[in-house]
Amino acid sequence: MKNLGIVRNMDELGRVVIPMEVRRTNGWEPRTPLEILATDEGVFIRKYQPRDSEKEKVAETLIAMAATAKDQAQKDALTQAVALLKKN
């Protein structure tokens, strides 16, 4: 991780302001949902992406791979993987 050299105090309600430069760099507009993850080093903040969105991205990638697969066995395996993702 990159040290930005920015220090902020937490207020009485536990809030911390994310500096404007950090918000701009990450494309975080007001009302952007953020996800906070605990790590051994502290916390990690990133833009929230619902799980279904992640599944859709993986499914799209697998579909593209199936379209360029060399043989039918690969195409079938990738198509089955997409079906399993969409089923769950």
Side-chain angles (χ1 to χ4, degrees):
M1 289 192 196
K2 181 179 177 184
N3 184 350
L4 301 176
I6 299 171
V7 176
R8 293 288 185 263
N9 291 322
M10 181 172 51
D11 72 8
E12 298 81 26
L13 298 175
R15 298 176 294 201
V16 177
V17 174
I18 300 172
M20 185 180 296
E21 183 177 328
V22 173
R23 295 190 313 257
R24 281 185 186 154
T25 301
N26 288 285
W28 298 343
E29 298 293 328
R31 307 263 184 243
T32 298
L34 301 175
E35 183 174 33
I36 301 169
L37 306 164
T39 71
D40 291 339
E41 298 293 320
V43 296
F44 179 77
I45 301 173
R46 66 182 177 195
K47 186 174 180 179
Y48 175 69
Q49 293 183 331
R51 294 276 181 216
D52 291 343
S53 174
E54 291 177 22
K55 281 185 182 180
E56 282 299 316
K57 287 180 184 178
V58 171
E60 289 172 11
T61 302
L62 292 173
I63 290 167
M65 291 172 67
T68 60
K70 300 283 186 211
D71 63 35
Q72 192 60 42
Q74 289 176 338
K75 287 181 183 183
D76 291 344
L78 291 165
T79 303
Q80 289 173 354
V82 170
L84 284 173
L85 276 174
K86 290 187 176 186
K87 182 179 179 181
N88 295 328

